[in-house]
Amino acid sequence: MFKKIAIFLEMIKFEHTLFALPFAFMGSILGSVVVHHHLPSWAQIGWILLAMVGARTAAMSLNRLIDAAIDKKNPRTEGRAIPAGLLKIGEVVLFTIVSFGLLFWAAAELEPLAMRLLPIAVFFLVFYSYTKRFTWLCHVVLGLTIALAPLGGWVAVTNSADWSAIVFYLTVAFWTAGFDIIYACQDYEFDKSQGLHSIPVRFGLKGALWIARGFHILTAIGFISLYLMTDLSWMYFAGMIIAYAILFYEHKLVKPHDLSKVNTAFFSMNGILSVVVFVFTFLDLVVFH
């Protein structure tokens, strides 16, 4: 049983929860301070953590189930748990059901609006995995899906979503879409051969990387807008400078003729960025506020 769980956690890349979780916590803390002028409770933070674990686990499990046939054909992904026969379809379905149950349980313990908006979140969690079959905007859909983490954190403690929350949502959406485009570059040849859709397939590797840069410029504008729309101070702004440097370095690592550092750009740089933004926001609101 423990071996199966270990394989399952590796399959869904559980450690990549780090991408969205800091932004979920940031949304809850910033939203609570902006709307209620105090920090969220530890109980609220705990339920948000459980909701995030449930949502991401369910989403990645579904993605692996829906893409199992495609993953088996792709040399890069043929070793994943389902194509390799390490996990059975029924086992992954069971994990998915349990994960959705955890998400619903946690959402029910938070503000009512979180529960009312949950069907929209579930729709995006399921819908995303099908998008590369018919649209090159699949990266944008993924961004809009993952960005539900900070928006959900905000709604979970405030029972509302003002313009600051929407700007934060779109900022994280463009950040996610941008780095997903970079990640998709490594599957350019395979996706093209299989008739799958992506921005690299539609616009070529060079065009795709320029679009990713454009999305991350919008991310930078979004973070600055959040600074101007709230009472965040110099500490948050300092974190933004570091975040921008990380984004710049991320794009320096990847070139159309050299994709050898895609994993470094995708996994390392973006994990660091999300933590940096959260830590400096936390210090701003909790220590220096």
Side-chain angles (χ1 to χ4, degrees):
M1 184 62 183
F2 288 111
K3 183 179 179 181
K4 289 285 186 181
I5 292 174
I7 294 171
F8 178 76
L9 292 177
E10 195 284 328
M11 179 193 73
I12 64 170
K13 301 297 181 184
F14 187 76
E15 66 274 16
H16 296 168
T17 305
L18 187 64
F19 288 171
L21 187 59
F23 283 125
F25 288 151
M26 178 177 164
S28 64
I29 294 172
L30 183 59
S32 189
V33 170
V34 168
V35 177
H36 299 309
H37 307 292
H38 61 71
L39 295 173
S41 68
W42 283 109
Q44 288 174 317
I45 292 296
W47 289 117
I48 290 170
L49 173 61
L50 290 178
M52 277 295 301
V53 170
R56 193 189 180 283
T57 303
M60 285 298 294
S61 301
L62 278 172
N63 180 262
R64 296 297 189 250
L65 286 167
I66 293 167
D67 282 353
I70 295 174
D71 288 344
K72 191 170 184 178
K73 298 177 184 178
N74 189 342
R76 186 179 67 82
T77 58
E78 63 184 356
R80 286 176 175 172
I82 296 177
L86 300 176
L87 288 176
K88 297 177 181 177
I89 296 292
E91 293 171 334
V92 180
V93 169
L94 178 60
F95 276 120
T96 304
I97 293 172
V98 171
S99 299
F100 271 123
L102 180 61
L103 171 61
F104 276 79
W105 178 34
E109 297 295 328
L110 294 162
E111 292 292 339
L113 184 59
M115 195 64 180
R116 290 200 294 270
L117 294 179
L118 188 56
I120 298 175
V122 171
F123 169 79
F124 273 97
L125 291 175
V126 176
F127 178 65
Y128 157 69
S129 293
Y130 291 100
T131 53
K132 65 183 177 183
R133 290 162 171 80
F134 61 87
T135 179
W136 50 266
L137 291 171
C138 52
H139 316 282
V140 176
V141 178
L142 176 65
L144 294 173
T145 303
I146 290 185
L148 291 171
L151 183 61
W154 188 296
V155 168
V157 299
T158 66
N159 204 39
S160 64
D162 63 11
W163 282 110
S164 299
I166 300 303
V167 167
F168 190 22
Y169 171 67
L170 293 175
T171 299
V172 176
F174 280 118
W175 169 65
T176 304
F179 74 65
D180 190 59
I181 292 170
I182 295 173
Y183 188 69
C185 285
Q186 63 187 327
D187 286 331
Y188 169 73
E189 295 292 347
F190 175 79
D191 289 347
K192 193 173 182 180
S193 70
Q194 298 296 312
L196 298 172
H197 299 265
S198 71
I199 284 179
V201 169
R202 175 66 178 81
F203 297 98
L205 295 177
K206 185 175 181 180
L209 292 176
W210 274 109
I211 292 171
R213 293 183 190 112
F215 281 0
H216 284 162
I217 289 172
L218 292 174
T219 299
I221 293 172
F223 279 132
I224 286 295
S225 299
L226 197 62
Y227 169 74
L228 298 173
M229 295 172 73
T230 63
D231 57 354
L232 289 163
S233 70
W234 65 270
M235 177 59 68
Y236 168 85
F237 191 83
M240 290 308 96
I241 300 301
I242 298 173
Y244 297 161
I246 293 171
L247 283 176
F248 181 80
Y249 181 64
E250 178 179 337
H251 286 278
K252 291 286 288 183
L253 287 173
V254 182
K255 298 175 178 62
H257 57 276
D258 182 8
L259 301 176
S260 61
K261 296 180 180 178
V262 164
N263 283 333
T264 301
F266 179 76
F267 298 120
S268 302
M269 294 300 98
N270 289 297
I272 293 170
L273 185 145
S274 64
V275 171
V276 165
V277 175
F278 168 70
V279 167
F280 276 81
T281 304
F282 179 83
L283 291 173
D284 190 320
L285 296 174
V286 177
V287 178
F288 294 95
H289 192 71

